[in-house]
Amino acid sequence: MSINIGIRAHDVSEHTFKHLFSVTANYGFNNVQFAPFKFLPKELIANSSRYSPGLLNDIDQKFRHAGVRISVLGNYVNMIDYENSIRNKNLQSYYDSLVAERFLHAAVVGSETGSILSPNGYSPHNFTNTALLRVIDSVKQITKTAEKLGALFAIEPGINHPLYDNYAVRRVLDAVNSPNLFVIFDLANLISKNNYKDQDTILTEAARLYGSRICTFHLKDVDFMDGKKVTVPFGSGIIDVERYIDFINKLKPYTFATFEATKENDLDNAISVFRKADKQATTRIKALQ
């Protein structure tokens, strides 16, 4: 197996470190995507202002003891909120998370780009040039801090957000032009009822336009029910798993990739589907060596 698979921490059934690490140990996961505000009790950390060196060190020691790496430190707050007071507060959360990245030895701080509406609601205004310029402005501010700290920041595309296709991603990367800016790639996020048959085109475009900037991947699946896109456990939807895993292996062998929105009772099947596709992909790769 040439991909380091993991899980999103807040997808486990019990939000305690004891239970999380029992799941990682049981399945042999060596990394997790960890969003503190979604996993830890609100009484402990409702927002980034509650971070302290002592708290972060305590969390870091728990991960080290379990032998688990934080592949993505999630900070999913809206960086382009129309209300500037909210937007500025959220930008501060990114700065705080970049500091936390260093304490927690996380690989990268990751986030979607958010929505013009609050909180993160769908809006056709997300697909305007104005929205994309707002993303560029926010990402420039975040990466400026990342560069000062020696930290890494990654944006995640999605069809309901300003980074709704591969070309929008490339535009942001070019405009920000920071060595500390990367991309979290999730094929399911870029799928719609209009393009789900064109998955190979989406992957080929991504590799050509910004493949070198992808730092980690999500393993998620989707389907369409009553005309609406819904998230389903990995391997049970319309994602071409074999093609996706082959894409990951060729582009970034040994990368971190985390199951997303796959609950514990669906992990056995998801891992079985992944391993079958990964075995086929690595066999093809070895044949080329």
Side-chain angles (χ1 to χ4, degrees):
M1 188 164 61
S2 61
I3 298 174
N4 286 292
I5 57 174
I7 191 172
R8 190 170 65 175
H10 60 273
D11 282 334
V12 301
S13 60
E14 184 181 329
H15 287 192
T16 65
F17 285 113
K18 180 179 180 180
H19 183 71
L20 172 64
F21 295 140
S22 72
V23 173
T24 58
N26 184 44
Y27 288 101
F29 296 149
N30 65 7
N31 72 95
V32 302
Q33 176 167 313
F34 182 61
F37 315 137
K38 293 186 176 183
F39 182 82
L40 297 172
K42 297 296 182 185
E43 296 80 8
L44 178 64
I45 184 164
N47 55 60
S48 66
S49 68
R50 301 290 294 274
Y51 280 145
S52 69
L55 173 62
L56 295 170
N57 180 69
D58 186 68
I59 295 172
D60 180 56
Q61 291 302 314
K62 287 179 169 59
F63 276 93
R64 284 174 176 263
H65 181 73
V68 175
R69 180 78 183 270
I70 298 175
S71 52
V72 176
L73 181 62
N75 190 62
Y76 288 82
V77 296
N78 193 357
M79 68 173 67
I80 60 167
D81 197 288
Y82 188 76
E83 292 291 336
N84 282 328
S85 60
I86 297 175
R87 182 192 183 200
N88 291 335
K89 180 181 178 181
N90 289 343
L91 287 175
Q92 182 61 52
S93 182
Y94 285 107
Y95 308 149
D96 294 340
S97 292
L98 290 167
V99 172
E101 176 191 318
R102 313 307 296 148
F103 277 95
L104 297 175
H105 299 91
V108 66
V109 170
S111 179
E112 294 172 338
T113 53
S115 171
I116 290 294
L117 292 182
S118 179
N120 297 311
Y122 167 82
S123 169
H125 295 292
N126 287 343
F127 313 128
T128 63
N129 190 56
T130 299
L132 193 62
L133 290 175
R134 202 167 174 86
V135 168
I136 290 169
D137 180 68
S138 292
V139 174
K140 280 184 176 179
Q141 294 183 60
I142 295 167
T143 54
K144 184 177 180 180
T145 299
E147 290 169 8
K148 290 179 179 178
L149 295 170
L152 303 181
F153 178 64
I155 48 177
E156 181 181 348
I159 59 170
N160 289 331
H161 299 286
L163 296 191
Y164 55 85
D165 66 14
N166 290 321
Y167 291 93
V169 177
R170 184 66 256 174
R171 184 176 170 188
V172 172
L173 291 172
D174 287 341
V176 175
N177 192 28
S178 170
N180 295 60
L181 178 61
F182 290 85
V183 177
I184 297 170
F185 189 82
D186 185 338
L187 176 58
N189 277 3
L190 294 171
I191 294 295
S192 71
K193 61 183 178 182
N194 298 319
N195 70 5
Y196 72 93
K197 293 182 179 179
D198 303 320
Q199 295 180 42
D200 188 53
T201 298
I202 295 171
L203 294 173
T204 301
E205 278 183 356
R208 175 173 57 86
L209 292 171
Y210 56 88
S212 65
R213 305 310 295 168
I214 297 175
C215 63
T216 190
F217 298 81
H218 284 161
L219 303 175
K220 187 169 68 184
D221 215 331
V222 293
D223 208 339
F224 293 95
M225 299 180 183
D226 298 323
K228 294 183 178 180
K229 181 179 174 180
V230 295
T231 302
V232 297
F234 188 72
S236 64
I238 61 173
I239 292 297
D240 187 336
V241 172
E242 182 176 333
R243 183 171 294 174
Y244 187 35
I245 300 304
D246 188 54
F247 167 79
I248 296 173
N249 268 301
K250 287 179 178 177
L251 192 67
K252 298 285 180 174
Y254 297 96
T255 187
F256 291 128
T258 51
F259 289 107
E260 185 167 276
T262 297
K263 303 299 184 181
E264 288 174 54
N265 57 351
D266 296 309
L267 275 174
D268 285 331
N269 183 68
I271 292 172
S272 177
V273 170
F274 166 82
R275 285 177 174 163
K276 180 179 179 181
D278 188 57
K279 183 177 181 180
Q280 293 172 334
T282 53
T283 298
R284 285 192 293 271
I285 290 172
K286 289 178 181 178
L288 296 174
Q289 293 176 344

